[in-house]
Amino acid sequence: MKRLLIAVPYFWLLALFLVPFLIVFKISLSDVALARPPYFPQWQFEEGWSALTDYLRALDFENFWFLSTDDLYWKAYLSSLRIAVVATFFTLLVGFPIAYGMARAPLEWRPTLMMLVILPFWTSFLIRVYAWIGILSGEGYLNQFLMWLGVIQDPLIILNTNVAVYIGIVYTYLPFMILPIYSALEKLDESLLEAAEDLGCSRFTAFWLVTFPLSKQGIIAGCFLVFIPTIGEFVIPSLLGGSSTLMIGKVLWEEFFNNRDWPVASAVAVVLLLILIIPIILFQRNEQKNREAEG
Amino acid sequence: MKRFSWFNATSLTLGFAFLYLPMIILVVYSFNASKLVTVWAGFSTKWYGELLQNEAFLDAAWVTIRVAVFSSTIATILGTMAAYILVRGGRFMGRTLFSGMIYAPLVMPEVITGLSLLLLFIGIGLDRGVFTIVLAHATFSMCYVSVVVSSRLVSFDKSLEEAALDLGCTAWQAFRLVTLPIIAPAVISGWLLAFTLSLDDLVIASFTSGPSSTTLPIKIFSAVRLGVSPEINALSTIMIGIVTIGVVSFSIMSKRNAVRREREERAAIHAT
Amino acid sequence: MMGAGLFLSVIFSGDVMASVAANQVFAPWNDPKETPLIEFRGVTKRFGDFTAIDDLSINIYEKEFFALLGPSGCGKTTMMRMLAGFETPTEGEIILAGQDIAPVPPNKRAVNMMFQSYALFPHLSIEDNIAFGLKREGMPKNDIADRVAEMLRLTRLEKFARRKPHQISGGQKQRVALARSLAKAPKLLLLDEPLGALDKKLRQDTQFELMDIQEKTGTTFVIVTHDQEEAMTVASRVAVMDHGKLMQVATPDRLYENPENVYVADFIGDVNLIEGTARKTGEGSYEINWCERTPPLKSTSDTVLSSGQGCTIAIRPEKVSISSEKPEEADNAVQGKIIDIAYLGNLSTYHVKLANGQMVKAQTANTRRISRRSFTWDDDVWLSWTATAGVLLKG
């Protein structure tokens, strides 16, 4: 009974998560070919042992070598990292005051505010990104508004630039930043701030010496929750970014669908995963520390 | 209370304006009569009419809903099982691998998940269509479901299950009669989460769908690449409306339950 | 309540009485030449419609250990938070060392507070917690280190200096909180239910430790508590509060022996309250009619009552004697039936029902180890007390 209970989800995940990933890894070692499917070598089970050794001999790290020589790829990785770092920073900048305001709001408002933050979560990601196209485009609402105000004479070019990508990331990932910071700030005992003031702190130093260090775990968690998915982001750069916006998710997509170079696409995926392992481990460690501090 | 200063009020106002204005603009302009989406030319619901005439969109919507219902149901069953194993299963062979496989898809970029599943389906010669999207969505959604359900299971008093066993239940009966009703809210929100994830997904569906199984996000994405269109505005408004009504009524319902429960508890205390 | 009565009767017997007597040498409140450290002048505090403090005036003197005692919601915490600067009075003023402190923000006041939750900064070590206030003052590093070491010694926390707050016990946390608030050598230390989170045994030990530290540092302590034993043990004077009003301010012994009103008599310790009407029989002596067909009770009183005025006799159970025969020379003697006996080890309390249904408690000390129990349930007994044993109160 228990065996069956374990076996079903176990094998499901093995078959549809682990095995596919191993296939990606294997194909990343293959060569591109004009065939269906478009890579070489292919191992036919019936051809026996010698076929297997031939097959293994044909695998190599050529695609990875290719990634390191063609500067498109490492530029794309670096640019993804840079965009993710900058966007995470701005998300923190926008998200922290909101989380802080929520945690200081009257108790009876908080469930409503919480729901208002979560509501966009449930709304289609695609639609939320799409909404900004109309706002940021040349004849968009933002330009219309600014020109009506008389702040600018000519429309600003925002859409299809990295700025639009930043705005899109901050907008769509804001709830991921707000929620962990809010939950850290909400747990903060008001009497700690009073104690700090009682011991001679001004409001500002009390914030800096007590509130900020005690919400650090939430800030770190929020930053990782934004940073990690942003690196592999595809929708935002392809809808809001321009031709100069290089992000690795977009490169992988194009490599696969436009160039039909499956081995290189697979190699890109493997490297992307290797890059992500570091922040993921750091994030896990932060969460662990959080749990220990609470337990 | 006294620290709720003008600073906090301003940051909340600006923050929520930032979160909601884009969607409000989208909704407002979906009722724009003009074909030019950024120029207001009076109120009209004609884009909704056109949307309902658009066979391609309706087909895509139908595919999407079917995929979402099937995949979220499978994901909920598998995810609940997985959560139960992780929280109550004790030690078994490959436990670490199992919990790794549960958590990894949560942080895995969608492009990689999509790519790897596509390569698998091609490798085993499975024709791509609704079935493959359902498999793909069920796989990554079950991880979310299991996280939601296991957080509820962790805070669940194990002695209740033991009491059921003590009173003569089989393990299955104890689960069905005691555990499941108590974790039901988490299972339901897990299902809802899986459902919206599936409705929402563009990247994985793009990799795993076939020519005859275009989902709504794929359709929207290809339309949106060409720029803003009033029909998409109308479609977005409908989707935002459904989600808002759903989430708001769900939270009002659970709040009402909580209030009723509290009132009953208070009444019970006074009654003794 | 039973335990409290027991505790109080121990306090007011023998040795402890002597220390109370010694305390009375320190009595600045009786000296008109002394200027108080803190003056509340007609202070009122309202939160919306709710009046937390109602036109209250108190003087607190230097080196005093002053207790604000009352049930929760009586306004005692509001008083303390006004002293710390977290609330401002709606009306009236608070004078600290001759200066109105209303405009002074909490971080500029020479007042420190020990929080009920201790409010230890969880991200800082014990020594950093203690040094926190000193660093804000901009004290030189070496001096900070010396002062922290001194505070650690005073509170016997030397071994825990480098631990974080979650790594020490509740009693140790309490001492850290105390050390942190004392480190800046404030003129006035406020303690908000400082021992509320400790278990009973630890609380009693800590009470004496607090008194010891207060004496060593010479700081003025104001403690807020709902626990009358705690207030009576530690404080030089106790202010009993109810619904934002001051009921009585007095030394613990006066509070127990000379309550000014029924509320205080009932709140502090165990008491029998007998209502009746007064008739003046001489200078400071009265007869109280309390029940038809029974002789009036005799009582002396400092409170001036007019004949026919409603009054209450408050009499402590330990001042009521119990006997099987009617005593010959008692000022007051009433007959009743024993309903309940509570054996408390050192004491026994008898609950006696009088003919008119009034319950009166009488307490006897069990001075012999194996005593013949002279009374049992349903015995008819006589209760007696002297005219000076009770306190006559208006109303």
Side-chain angles (χ1 to χ4, degrees):
Chain A
M1 177 69 194
K2 186 186 161 190
R3 290 239 175 96
L4 187 73
L5 190 66
I6 296 175
V8 174
Y10 207 119
F11 283 107
W12 183 287
L13 283 173
L14 276 181
L16 287 161
F17 178 74
L18 199 61
V19 169
F21 186 70
L22 293 177
I23 294 174
V24 171
F25 186 63
K26 188 209 86 177
I27 292 178
S28 74
L29 304 175
S30 310
D31 293 324
V32 68
L34 277 175
R36 271 184 76 90
Y39 56 87
F40 176 84
Q42 312 235 350
W43 174 39
Q44 310 304 171
F45 190 67
E46 310 84 61
E47 287 170 25
W49 184 250
S50 65
L52 181 66
T53 50
D54 284 348
Y55 167 77
L56 287 176
R57 217 168 287 140
L59 295 176
D60 52 40
F61 288 92
E62 199 181 324
N63 295 310
F64 293 95
W65 178 246
F66 174 65
L67 291 191
S68 68
T69 52
D70 189 333
D71 64 357
L72 167 75
Y73 298 102
W74 59 264
K75 267 187 185 160
Y77 284 118
L78 282 181
S79 152
S80 295
L81 281 175
R82 205 192 57 226
I83 288 175
V85 168
V86 174
T88 304
F89 174 74
F90 281 112
T91 315
L92 176 61
L93 222 56
V94 175
F96 192 92
I98 300 177
Y100 186 80
M102 282 171 66
R104 290 269 162 275
L107 205 61
E108 64 273 16
W109 293 11
R110 289 189 204 164
T112 313
L113 293 175
M114 202 47 181
M115 200 187 71
L116 283 175
V117 171
I118 296 173
L119 189 59
F121 251 153
W122 298 86
T123 318
S124 168
F125 187 83
L126 194 55
I127 289 174
R128 283 185 291 147
V129 177
Y130 163 73
W132 282 95
I133 298 178
I135 296 173
L136 299 176
S137 66
E139 65 277 12
Y141 311 119
L142 181 66
N143 276 320
Q144 285 181 24
F145 180 66
L146 291 176
M147 279 155 80
W148 175 77
L149 278 182
V151 180
I152 50 167
Q153 301 306 314
D154 302 309
L156 299 171
I157 297 167
I158 305 174
L159 191 62
N160 302 329
T161 65
N162 282 357
V163 177
V165 175
Y166 293 140
I167 293 175
I169 295 172
V170 172
Y171 181 69
T172 46
Y173 287 98
L174 197 57
F176 290 93
M177 185 64 89
I178 293 176
L179 291 177
I181 298 179
Y182 168 72
S183 75
L185 285 175
E186 205 211 7
K187 270 185 282 181
L188 190 85
D189 183 357
E190 184 89 9
S191 66
L192 289 178
L193 294 177
E194 287 185 347
E197 279 186 45
D198 185 66
L199 294 167
C201 282
S202 65
R203 284 271 169 94
F204 182 75
T205 40
F207 173 84
W208 194 244
L209 292 170
V210 179
T211 310
F212 183 72
L214 287 176
S215 56
K216 211 169 67 189
Q217 301 291 337
I219 293 173
I220 293 173
C223 286
F224 278 121
L225 284 177
V226 176
F227 180 78
I228 293 170
T230 304
I231 293 181
E233 185 51 54
F234 164 74
V235 176
I236 296 172
S238 61
L239 287 184
L240 300 179
S243 49
S244 64
T245 306
L246 264 183
M247 284 197 76
I248 201 66
K250 207 174 128 199
V251 170
L252 190 153
W253 178 285
E254 280 161 3
E255 209 59 66
F256 189 85
F257 284 110
N258 303 353
N259 301 347
R260 288 185 61 78
D261 192 338
W262 292 13
V264 167
S266 300
V268 167
V270 170
V271 174
L272 172 56
L273 210 60
L274 288 178
I275 290 174
L276 278 175
I277 281 173
I278 298 162
I280 288 170
I281 288 173
L282 289 176
F283 175 66
Q284 290 289 356
R285 203 172 284 172
N286 182 60
E287 290 293 283
Q288 189 93 30
K289 224 160 80 184
N290 243 344
R291 274 196 294 274
E292 275 164 19
E294 271 166 30
Chain B
M1 184 90 103
K2 72 198 160 73
R3 276 167 205 267
F4 191 67
S5 57
W6 63 268
F7 173 81
N8 293 329
T10 327
S11 59
L12 279 186
T13 315
L14 289 179
F16 284 108
F18 176 65
L19 272 177
Y20 282 92
L21 260 185
M23 283 192 268
I24 291 169
I25 292 173
L26 195 66
V27 171
V28 168
Y29 274 82
S30 75
F31 295 105
N32 187 3
S34 166
K35 176 89 190 149
L36 295 167
V37 270
T38 53
V39 183
W40 182 256
F43 179 87
S44 156
T45 53
K46 72 172 173 190
W47 302 113
Y48 291 88
E50 290 205 9
L51 188 70
L52 292 177
Q53 308 279 305
N54 191 327
E55 290 282 334
F57 272 124
L58 291 180
D59 286 348
W62 177 232
V63 170
T64 311
I65 290 171
R66 271 189 306 166
V67 167
V69 169
F70 286 124
S71 71
S72 58
T73 306
I74 297 170
T76 306
I77 295 168
L78 290 172
T80 307
M81 286 165 89
Y84 196 79
I85 295 164
L86 281 178
V87 177
R88 291 275 192 274
R91 296 184 170 279
F92 58 89
M93 244 196 23
R95 191 192 150 91
T96 317
L97 176 66
F98 185 69
S99 65
M101 287 194 299
I102 286 287
Y103 289 109
L106 301 178
V107 289
M108 186 73 91
E110 288 169 322
V111 277
I112 297 183
T113 311
L115 176 71
S116 65
L117 281 167
L118 170 58
L119 295 178
L120 171 80
F121 295 146
I122 291 173
I124 60 174
L126 200 61
D127 275 342
R128 281 173 289 158
V130 171
F131 180 62
T132 48
I133 311 178
V134 168
L135 286 183
H137 281 181
T139 306
F140 83 91
S141 300
M142 71 174 273
C143 303
Y144 286 87
V145 174
S146 90
V147 168
V148 172
V149 174
S150 62
S151 72
R152 181 75 185 88
L153 270 177
V154 166
S155 64
F156 171 91
D157 184 1
K158 202 178 173 183
S159 61
L160 290 175
E161 276 170 26
E162 289 166 349
L165 295 174
D166 182 62
L167 294 170
C169 281
T170 63
W172 165 244
Q173 284 170 328
F175 177 79
R176 193 168 54 91
L177 298 173
V178 177
T179 314
L180 196 57
I182 293 175
I183 62 169
V187 174
I188 292 170
S189 29
W191 188 88
L192 285 172
L193 183 62
F195 188 81
T196 33
L197 284 170
S198 170
L199 278 190
D200 208 16
D201 169 65
L202 163 72
V203 177
I204 294 173
S206 298
F207 278 100
T208 52
S209 68
S212 64
S213 58
T214 306
T215 64
L216 206 50
I218 298 175
K219 196 81 200 143
I220 295 174
F221 183 69
S222 56
V224 158
R225 280 200 137 165
L226 308 172
V228 184
S229 93
E231 276 181 318
I232 301 287
N233 282 354
L235 179 62
S236 306
T237 303
I238 293 173
M239 291 173 75
I240 292 172
I242 291 171
V243 167
T244 311
I245 291 167
V247 172
V248 170
S249 54
F250 188 73
S251 65
I252 287 176
M253 236 157 56
S254 53
K255 174 156 189 198
R256 197 172 289 167
N257 275 343
V259 169
R260 199 186 57 207
R261 197 193 152 93
E262 198 181 316
R263 205 173 37 227
E264 286 169 355
E265 278 172 359
R266 220 175 312 142
I269 290 167
H270 285 306
T272 51
Chain C
M1 219 50 200
M2 206 65 105
L6 183 147
F7 176 79
L8 289 168
S9 32
V10 171
I11 282 203
F12 295 108
S13 62
D15 299 345
V16 188
M17 211 49 192
S19 80
V20 170
N23 252 355
Q24 276 172 352
V25 178
F26 170 74
W29 48 88
N30 289 331
D31 185 350
K33 288 195 292 278
E34 284 278 344
T35 51
L37 178 68
I38 305 156
E39 282 176 73
F40 278 79
R41 290 186 189 157
V43 171
T44 296
K45 175 72 188 176
R46 290 188 202 93
F47 297 102
D49 293 336
F50 176 69
T51 307
I53 302 289
D54 192 0
D55 189 25
L56 190 143
S57 302
I58 308 186
N59 293 341
I60 300 171
Y61 294 86
E62 204 162 321
K63 298 197 175 157
E64 226 188 308
F65 201 140
F66 194 88
L68 293 167
L69 174 66
S72 62
C74 72
K76 56 191 194 301
T77 301
T78 309
M79 295 268 292
M80 165 159 296
R81 290 173 61 81
M82 286 196 288
L83 279 173
F86 298 120
E87 308 286 356
T88 45
T90 319
E91 283 162 30
E93 52 191 2
I94 304 170
I95 310 291
L96 174 68
Q99 191 197 358
D100 183 4
I101 54 171
V104 185
N107 52 341
K108 299 280 192 313
R109 292 191 184 189
V111 173
N112 284 125
M113 177 154 168
M114 191 184 139
F115 289 79
Q116 184 174 8
S117 61
Y118 307 145
L120 300 181
F121 303 123
H123 57 303
L124 300 179
S125 67
I126 301 313
E127 51 182 5
D128 286 340
N129 260 289
I130 297 174
F132 192 91
L134 302 172
K135 285 184 185 161
R136 303 283 82 67
E137 272 179 347
M139 192 188 247
K141 265 218 167 87
N142 291 336
D143 297 357
I144 291 181
D146 293 347
R147 182 74 183 152
V148 169
E150 190 188 332
M151 295 323 296
L152 287 170
R153 211 163 35 243
L154 181 70
T155 48
R156 296 181 289 111
L157 284 165
E158 296 100 321
K159 272 187 283 182
F160 308 105
R162 288 181 197 282
R163 297 219 189 150
K164 289 278 179 70
H166 68 270
Q167 294 166 318
I168 58 176
S169 73
Q172 289 157 352
K173 279 186 193 150
Q174 189 269 344
R175 298 213 297 273
V176 177
L178 183 64
R180 186 178 70 179
S181 47
L182 276 174
K184 290 179 76 174
K187 278 187 197 155
L188 172 63
L189 183 71
L190 307 171
L191 303 102
D192 187 2
E193 303 270 3
L195 311 176
L198 307 181
D199 59 52
K200 194 176 167 72
K201 180 79 180 71
L202 191 55
R203 199 155 64 213
Q204 288 175 359
D205 295 344
T206 314
Q207 282 166 357
F208 290 101
E209 209 170 87
L210 265 185
M211 291 159 76
D212 197 35
I213 288 174
Q214 194 259 343
E215 206 162 311
K216 267 187 206 159
T217 57
T219 313
T220 310
F221 276 28
V222 173
I223 182 174
V224 156
T225 179
H226 68 275
D227 179 345
Q228 46 148 325
E229 283 181 34
E230 186 171 302
M232 303 286 270
T233 310
V234 299
S236 55
R237 280 194 306 158
V238 178
V240 180
M241 292 181 67
D242 185 47
H243 287 101
K245 287 206 162 84
L246 211 55
M247 302 314 289
Q248 185 173 1
V249 185
T251 55
D253 60 322
R254 283 197 64 80
L255 221 46
Y256 187 76
E257 299 293 358
N258 294 48
E260 283 173 6
N261 47 51
V262 177
Y263 182 83
V264 174
D266 198 22
F267 190 74
I268 306 285
D270 209 358
V271 75
N272 295 304
L273 296 170
I274 302 171
E275 287 173 27
T277 46
R279 191 171 66 81
K280 194 161 181 168
T281 54
E283 195 54 44
S285 60
Y286 297 87
E287 280 186 352
I288 296 97
N289 284 304
W290 63 286
C291 178
E292 285 174 36
R293 295 190 309 272
T294 41
L297 301 172
K298 296 192 187 75
S299 181
T300 59
S301 171
D302 301 334
T303 332
V304 181
L305 293 160
S306 54
S307 288
Q309 193 176 358
C311 63
T312 302
I313 310 173
I315 180 158
R316 304 285 178 194
E318 72 272 17
K319 299 195 172 65
V320 178
S321 333
I322 186 164
S323 56
S324 49
E325 301 296 320
K326 184 175 184 184
E328 290 295 310
E329 285 169 3
D331 294 332
N332 301 298
V334 291
Q335 201 179 16
K337 191 189 282 279
I338 295 179
I339 299 296
D340 242 328
I341 306 173
Y343 176 70
L344 300 172
N346 55 345
L347 300 168
S348 292
T349 305
Y350 298 91
H351 293 234
V352 177
K353 191 176 186 178
L354 306 187
N356 67 341
Q358 166 105 35
M359 293 293 293
V360 174
K361 282 173 271 184
Q363 212 166 50
T364 57
N366 299 323
T367 43
R368 293 206 200 118
R369 193 166 80 85
I370 305 166
S371 69
R372 183 179 54 85
R373 184 179 271 179
S374 34
F375 310 108
T376 183
W377 288 271
D378 289 340
D379 278 0
D380 286 313
V381 291
W382 284 90
L383 301 176
S384 59
W385 61 90
T386 62
T388 53
V391 181
L392 200 53
L393 303 164
K394 284 181 193 167

